[in-house]
Amino acid sequence: MTQLEIVGDGVGHTGKDWFYTDIVKDHFFHPRNIFKTAEEVKEFNADGVGLVGSPACGDGMKLFIKVKDDKIVDVKWQTYGCGTAIASTSAFSVMLLDKGGLSIEEALKIKPKDIADYLGGIPPRKFHCSVLADKAFREAVNDYFKKSGQLERVVEGSAKIIDKILKITDHDIEHAVLEGAYDLEAVQRKTKVGIHDKECIPIVEKLIKTYKEKYFGE
Amino acid sequence: MTKNVEYVLKMTERKIYLDNSATTRMGPEVKKEFDKYCLEVYGNPGSFHMEGLKAKQAVADARERIAKILNCKSSELVFTSGGTESINLAIKGLAYASNGKRKQIITAKTEHHAVMHTCEFLEKKGFDIVYLDVDENGIVDIEQLKNNISDDTLLVSIMYANNEIGTIQNISEIGKICKEHKVKFHTDACQAAGYLSLDVKDLNVDLMSINGSKIYGPKGLGLLYIKTGTVIEPLIHGGGQEGNKRSGTENVPGIMAFVKSLEICEETKEKEVSRLTQLRDKLTNGILESIPKSRLNGHPSMRLPNNVNISFLDVEGEAILLYLDSNGVYASSGSACTSKTLDPSHVVVAMGVPYEYAHGSIRFTLGKETIPEDIDFVLKILPEIISNLRKISPFNVKMEGKK
């Protein structure tokens, strides 16, 4: 049966900003490393579990990892989200288990862009859907570190408050850029950053530029 | 139509188009009319020769035929490039002509973007916009309208039937309130056309927008009804066509195809409404009965006969659409991921539907080509799609009653 085929450019009126590559579709329609039954979730007996997102924000990802000799030996996942979100978690789980499983150190180096590349590209507009996988993984690894008593290895998020009145962090701004807010006005519509705390606006503008370069190479 | 052999293909080959509120396939009779005015009667109605005159007469005739359906004068009709332009012309045209005498525009939170963004634009130009709340079914708060309408109100713009949830407003009553306050009233009837009465006198409207592409007519052809005495400033200047309200050479094929499609819709309306209402209810009830944690968005009965909008918990709309698409079923979603802004549908959110529902909303809009077998097929495949997606979802949100 015909399926959607075009890779998007994500910029709007060129008519290509929606559709997915064959690799994305393959992972979406045939997700790898999933639990087949509710019993499997219990039996898996994960060494670390990480959850990010919520039903209200439209994205959610839960990663379950098994660790042996500091290597990821098994991964399962659950994702609530769009085609990109589901495909990118599936792809990420395959990447983690590459060559019999990556070391934790190697695995932590996987960036959203690597997942997008693995999938043969995803529309820039949908890029934010693929950023949850590495975050969920970091949570799962931290959970493993805590459970196995390696507290010194726990990597906490390094969010920095930018807007002092609304307590908006650099992570919030990063997220807004990933969601397609490419300028101050758009980021403000999403986050209200700098509406009251006007002093932070130059920093916000700089951050937007940084994240745009980081994710979209613009 | 239902037993038309052409449409009763094997279900595996048949594509099930349930996105008729997005746009419709042009009907064959309409296409014939379109072709005729592309190939046979091709003159410019403004030209001084026989070919031009033929086109001019055709357009005049079309205007008369539409006036009959809308119960208005032919001089009160302006052809535009579509629903969006009609809406822009109605709202901005009136705002520009008001010379700042009245500064307030009242609309609703569930309007189409063509109305919302036009109002937001005017807000930046100094107009004061009031967005009326809607109840849990999407019905506009009339009391709030009464409390806000004043000598400063220039225009009230409320859509006849909602494009996402199909909820039908009491336009006639809203129109009456506007009349009492001598306030102009516009309704976006793009989705209502074909299903509901378009009698502008019954509806008490001063301005009404219709779109050809929603009624099996041409894309790129819209209509704006402007009641005599309603002064609007044109948005497009030029040769003074359309009574100086919308310049540009008349889109004669579009106009002739449009009037044909409108007439067919009027003729078949009664039958289609009852046929589609049955199919709509079959689809709605079938889904609600077979899929747990699903709920209907919009009014249960005051809704378009072709609209089914249902939210599913723990799954996201775009993912559902991808599965439907791979099965040859074409629908749409109010999920954040299918919108350009990445926010979930403002309409679903305005009704107080929690975000977790809004992200998983799917809209099926039936049309004249929809047959009972299509509904059976959707009812057959949808439960499995939802259950597959729920299997890989980390969430299991408890179902709540309607807010």
Side-chain angles (χ1 to χ4, degrees), chain A residues 20 56 79 83 125-126 179, chain B residues 314 318 326 339 341-342 359 392:
Chain A
Y20 295 135
T79 288
R125 200 171 60 75
K126 309 279 298 182
E179 284 189 343
Chain B
D314 307 328
E318 194 218 74
S326 75
S339 78
T341 55
L342 297 171
H359 288 295
I392 59 165

Side-chain angles (χ1 to χ4, degrees), chain B residues 209-341:
Chain B
S209 298
I210 302 179
N211 182 352
S213 90
K214 314 285 190 200
I215 54 171
Y216 311 96
K219 292 168 180 65
L221 204 288
L223 179 77
L224 179 64
Y225 158 75
I226 307 172
K227 189 179 178 179
T228 308
T230 306
V231 184
I232 65 154
E233 196 69 47
L235 304 183
I236 295 175
H237 298 87
Q241 288 88 345
E242 298 299 307
N244 242 333
K245 294 189 178 81
R246 204 280 188 183
S247 287
T249 297
E250 292 84 346
N251 176 357
V252 182
I255 291 167
M256 301 316 290
F258 173 82
V259 64
K260 189 81 190 161
S261 64
L262 189 65
E263 282 176 345
I264 294 171
C265 278
E266 283 300 306
E267 280 161 25
T268 55
K269 190 158 74 184
E270 210 175 313
K271 260 181 146 170
E272 265 303 271
V273 166
S274 100
R275 189 182 77 87
L276 288 177
T277 303
Q278 275 182 19
L279 291 180
R280 175 197 74 187
D281 292 345
K282 182 181 175 182
L283 181 58
T284 306
N285 297 334
I287 293 173
L288 295 177
E289 279 160 22
S290 66
I291 302 175
K293 296 205 286 181
S294 56
R295 66 177 241 176
L296 181 70
N297 295 315
H299 200 285
S301 56
M302 288 287 288
R303 74 186 295 140
L304 287 174
N306 72 331
N307 178 294
V308 175
N309 187 317
I310 292 189
S311 282
F312 303 96
L313 272 179
D314 307 328
V315 287
E316 199 274 343
E318 194 218 74
I320 304 171
L321 285 189
L322 285 170
Y323 268 109
L324 286 172
D325 179 82
S326 75
N327 282 288
V329 176
Y330 307 140
S332 85
S333 167
S335 91
C337 267
T338 51
S339 78
K340 290 220 158 58
T341 55

Side-chain angles (χ1 to χ4, degrees), chain A residues 173-189:
Chain A
I173 295 161
E174 183 175 10
H175 205 73
V177 173
L178 281 165
E179 284 189 343
Y182 299 143
D183 56 31
L184 179 66
E185 203 187 324
V187 170
Q188 284 184 323
R189 267 204 301 274

Side-chain angles (χ1 to χ4, degrees), chain A residues 1 3-4 17 20 28-29 34 54-58 60 62 78-83 125-126 128-129 179 190, chain B residues 314-316 318-319 322-323 325-327 337 339-343 355-356 359 389 391-395 397:
Chain A
M1 218 164 278
Q3 285 175 0
L4 309 167
D17 65 339
Y20 295 135
F28 174 76
F29 288 113
I34 56 166
S54 76
C57 64
K62 199 171 184 179
Q78 291 170 328
T79 288
Y80 159 79
C82 64
R125 200 171 60 75
K126 309 279 298 182
H128 78 285
C129 307
E179 284 189 343
K190 286 201 178 289
Chain B
D314 307 328
V315 287
E316 199 274 343
E318 194 218 74
L322 285 170
Y323 268 109
D325 179 82
S326 75
N327 282 288
C337 267
S339 78
K340 290 220 158 58
T341 55
L342 297 171
D343 293 319
Y355 270 58
E356 41 272 56
H359 288 295
L389 287 167
K391 240 180 241 168
I392 59 165
S393 172
F395 302 125
V397 178

Side-chain angles (χ1 to χ4, degrees), chain A:
Chain A
M1 218 164 278
T2 6
Q3 285 175 0
L4 309 167
E5 263 163 23
I6 313 153
V7 190
D9 60 0
V11 290
H13 65 278
T14 52
K16 297 183 187 172
D17 65 339
W18 207 86
F19 304 119
Y20 295 135
T21 66
D22 285 341
I23 313 171
V24 174
K25 282 184 298 177
D26 183 37
H27 276 274
F28 174 76
F29 288 113
H30 311 286
R32 325 290 204 272
N33 303 310
I34 56 166
F35 295 116
K36 297 210 168 53
T37 60
E39 287 72 47
E40 276 186 29
V41 185
K42 283 179 209 150
E43 285 163 12
F44 188 71
N45 200 16
D47 297 318
V49 179
L51 171 71
V52 290
S54 76
C57 64
D59 272 316
M61 219 166 264
K62 199 171 184 179
L63 270 181
F64 303 72
I65 55 169
K66 296 278 271 186
V67 183
K68 203 177 169 191
D69 301 331
D70 230 44
K71 263 174 68 174
I72 309 296
V73 292
D74 205 357
V75 184
K76 296 277 186 219
W77 57 270
Q78 291 170 328
T79 288
Y80 159 79
C82 64
T84 308
I86 288 170
S88 60
T89 333
S90 175
F92 182 67
S93 73
V94 173
M95 290 167 83
L96 286 178
L97 295 175
D98 190 32
K99 296 174 205 138
L102 300 184
S103 71
I104 288 181
E105 198 190 336
E106 286 171 311
L108 281 170
K109 283 185 192 145
I110 299 176
K111 293 276 169 288
K113 193 173 178 311
D114 302 323
I115 304 173
D117 288 345
Y118 182 93
L119 288 168
I122 46 178
R125 200 171 60 75
K126 309 279 298 182
F127 204 81
H128 78 285
C129 307
S130 69
V131 300
L132 287 181
D134 67 318
K135 292 199 178 83
F137 178 66
R138 205 163 55 207
E139 293 289 315
V141 168
N142 279 341
D143 184 45
Y144 160 70
F145 287 152
K146 284 175 193 166
K147 279 180 180 157
S148 56
Q150 308 178 64
L151 292 177
E152 72 287 354
R153 294 183 72 189
V154 171
V155 199
E156 289 298 352
S158 52
K160 211 173 102 194
I161 288 180
I162 305 293
D163 182 313
K164 290 176 195 68
I165 298 172
L166 292 175
K167 307 266 185 285
I168 291 159
T169 68
D170 52 350
H171 286 187
D172 297 326
I173 295 161
E174 183 175 10
H175 205 73
V177 173
L178 281 165
E179 284 189 343
Y182 299 143
D183 56 31
L184 179 66
E185 203 187 324
V187 170
Q188 284 184 323
R189 267 204 301 274
K190 286 201 178 289
T191 63
K192 299 199 168 55
V193 69
I195 300 282
H196 302 289
D197 183 2
K198 298 222 187 296
E199 276 176 25
C200 74
I201 286 177
I203 309 167
V204 176
E205 286 185 311
K206 220 169 136 187
L207 282 172
I208 294 170
K209 204 167 163 263
T210 312
Y211 294 133
K212 261 169 70 183
E213 279 169 8
K214 179 176 167 190
Y215 292 113
F216 308 112
E218 284 171 21

